[in-house]
Amino acid sequence: EAGKKYNASVYEFILIAEKEIILERANQRRLQSKEILASNEQVIEFLKKAHELIKERPNAITIDTSRLTQEMVYQKIRGIVLP
């Protein structure tokens, strides 16, 4: 709706990764943070919801970040948005 209103391109991205990698990243963030972060069970539930969302949003661009650095993800999205 906002894209049409302002005559702008709108992109929807869903970033996913393999379960083991997501859990490893979550554990690393827990070690580095003083805040209470999601438990492994919550992370797994979030991953399930992300996979459901992929089915519900066929026009979304899904990027598997399992083997990508943050910079690589940024460049990939940038390449789509600013070809």
Side-chain angles (χ1 to χ4, degrees), residues 28-70:
Q28 288 174 351
R29 288 184 183 122
R30 273 190 223 103
L31 292 173
Q32 297 171 355
S33 176
K34 294 179 183 174
E35 298 177 31
I36 298 173
L37 302 177
S39 67
N40 281 351
E41 292 78 17
Q42 291 170 315
V43 171
I44 291 169
E45 187 61 32
F46 179 80
L47 179 59
K48 288 178 187 175
K49 289 180 181 180
H51 283 281
E52 291 171 10
L53 185 62
I54 291 168
K55 294 174 189 171
E56 295 171 11
R57 309 293 295 182
N59 293 328
I61 300 163
T62 302
I63 300 174
D64 185 341
T65 66
S66 297
R67 310 270 184 270
L68 302 177
T69 64
Q70 290 176 348

Side-chain angles (χ1 to χ4, degrees), residues 17-25 43-44 47 51 66:
E18 296 168 6
K19 178 180 170 181
E20 295 77 21
I21 291 173
I22 290 176
L23 290 172
E24 179 182 324
R25 290 174 181 170
V43 171
I44 291 169
L47 179 59
H51 283 281
S66 297

